[in-house]
Amino acid sequence: MPKLNKLLKNIVLSVLKSFNLITDPAKAKLGISYSVWDGEELLEASIKSVRENADYINVVWQKKSWHGIDCDENLEILLMQLKGKGLIDEIIFFEPDFNLTPQQNEVNKRNLGLKAVIKAGCSHFLMMDCDEFYDQEEFKAAKEFIYKRFITHSACIIEDYFAVNYRSTVVGKYYVPFIYRVNSKSKTDVKANTNLFCHIDATRKIAIKLFNRCWFAHNLVMHHYTGVRKNKKRKLENSSASLNSDSINSFLNAYDENNYKEMLKDGRLVYVENKFNIPPID
């Protein structure tokens, strides 16, 4: 019976491979796409946290925010420098269509990065922003599990950082998509059913197909340095979430350094080492 089960399993795997529904783990390739307009002061450190685990990395950048505000004049120069260091494989320019909503523009931008990942011959895809970091060993273990178990959709928890050395202990109910298995027909879609059973960013959804295996990576953390910016207000005012002034002020008050002592005292914040060697943010 074990031999028969193994034979049947191999037959099923062969059929799935023939229809390009799964990838041989030995042939799997991971492509990562960064969406960049600001926050570039974190980009190099973020890429270094994942570069060893990626076969290809692109950066899709824009000169204008979703609300028409100019990026830093040195952004393109920085991207070229990072490409020269071998941290970026491809730089792609995106121009927002201001007749569309910020959310739809973001979806279109993510899809541009996804298209380039597929063109580069990658079977798996991860979307990232400048303030997102992963532990290399956790990342490697999760990626290998995904390859070996033919996972098509995955997600993990998020830990938010108010500053480089201050991590929030408040566990949210919001999660981040991790690695997707993709093909030439894959695309991000805010209405997509991902079957992940958790709340994720709508602009990072890729729909399930005929064959799907979903996995929540409990032993993986996305370290989100959301409070680390040269200009926090600029980030919030130009978010695709289109925050109102009250929401922006609420966020800014939460990230005010004057609150840190009280939050440390009552356990909402903990002091941590700068494990990703993030440079000082002036």
Side-chain angles (χ1 to χ4, degrees):
M1 186 63 71
K3 289 184 177 180
L4 179 60
N5 288 338
K6 184 176 181 181
L7 177 61
L8 290 174
K9 179 181 178 181
N10 288 336
I11 291 173
V12 170
L13 290 177
S14 295
V15 171
L16 291 173
K17 288 177 183 177
S18 68
F19 283 98
N20 195 30
L21 295 174
I22 63 173
T23 302
D24 184 332
K27 297 180 180 179
K29 292 178 64 177
L30 175 63
I32 297 176
S33 180
Y34 277 85
S35 173
V36 178
W37 167 71
D38 78 333
E40 64 272 15
E41 59 268 28
L42 297 172
L43 183 58
E44 181 170 357
S46 175
I47 294 176
K48 285 179 177 178
S49 78
V50 296
R51 180 72 262 193
E52 284 189 11
N53 284 298
D55 297 283
Y56 162 89
I57 294 178
N58 72 45
V59 169
V60 186
W61 73 288
Q62 60 200 81
K63 290 184 178 179
K64 299 282 186 180
S65 75
W66 312 126
H67 305 284
I69 305 301
D70 289 330
C71 69
D72 187 278
E73 60 182 3
N74 294 314
L75 175 56
E76 187 174 11
I77 294 172
L78 172 64
L79 297 181
M80 292 301 296
Q81 290 173 342
L82 296 180
K83 189 172 187 294
K85 292 180 178 180
L87 293 175
I88 298 173
D89 296 296
E90 186 175 3
I91 301 169
I92 303 166
F93 178 68
F94 175 78
E95 189 168 1
D97 179 349
F98 295 112
N99 292 313
L100 301 176
T101 65
Q103 186 183 64
Q104 188 56 57
N105 268 310
E106 185 168 354
V107 168
N108 293 345
K109 187 181 181 185
R110 300 282 189 194
N111 276 321
L112 189 59
L114 169 57
K115 184 177 179 180
V117 162
I118 295 169
K119 186 177 179 180
C122 296
S123 57
H124 291 75
F125 176 55
L126 172 62
M127 291 170 264
M128 291 187 67
D129 290 336
C130 296
D131 56 4
E132 299 177 4
F133 295 74
Y134 290 92
D135 175 88
Q136 289 186 8
E137 293 305 314
E138 287 183 359
F139 192 112
K140 181 180 180 182
K143 182 184 73 169
E144 290 178 351
F145 181 89
I146 287 167
Y147 288 174
K148 291 177 181 178
R149 299 297 181 94
F150 306 110
I151 303 297
T152 60
H153 294 65
S154 63
C156 68
I157 66 171
I158 300 170
E159 289 187 346
D160 288 318
Y161 290 72
F162 278 44
V164 170
N165 294 114
Y166 293 101
R167 176 175 59 80
S168 173
T169 60
V170 179
V171 179
K173 296 182 179 180
Y174 193 77
Y175 306 91
V176 64
F178 187 50
I179 295 173
Y180 289 111
R181 199 275 183 183
V182 293
N183 57 39
S184 60
K185 295 182 180 180
S186 299
K187 65 177 182 178
T188 57
D189 181 354
V190 296
K191 297 180 180 180
N193 174 20
T194 61
N195 206 28
L196 284 170
F197 304 107
C198 59
H199 185 48
I200 61 173
D201 184 344
T203 68
R204 301 194 193 195
K205 290 184 176 182
I206 294 180
I208 60 172
K209 299 297 182 183
L210 179 62
F211 173 81
N212 65 87
R213 297 193 72 182
C214 303
W215 177 56
F216 189 86
H218 294 281
N219 295 324
L220 178 70
V221 173
M222 188 273 273
H223 301 268
H224 190 204
Y225 286 77
T226 183
V228 182
R229 275 295 198 283
K230 284 184 178 179
N231 190 327
K232 296 182 183 70
K233 186 177 181 181
R234 174 181 165 91
K235 169 194 174 182
L236 295 167
E237 288 178 340
N238 289 279
S239 167
S240 64
S242 299
L243 301 172
N244 59 38
S245 58
D246 288 340
S247 295
I248 291 173
N249 289 332
S250 177
F251 276 115
L252 291 175
N253 288 334
Y255 293 123
D256 188 329
E257 290 186 22
N258 292 326
N259 294 330
Y260 290 178
K261 287 185 178 180
E262 180 181 344
M263 296 177 75
L264 284 165
K265 186 176 180 180
D266 64 23
R268 284 178 292 161
L269 281 185
V270 292
Y271 181 87
V272 293
E273 296 298 324
N274 181 6
K275 68 177 294 182
F276 298 107
N277 297 315
I278 297 173
I281 305 299
D282 297 326

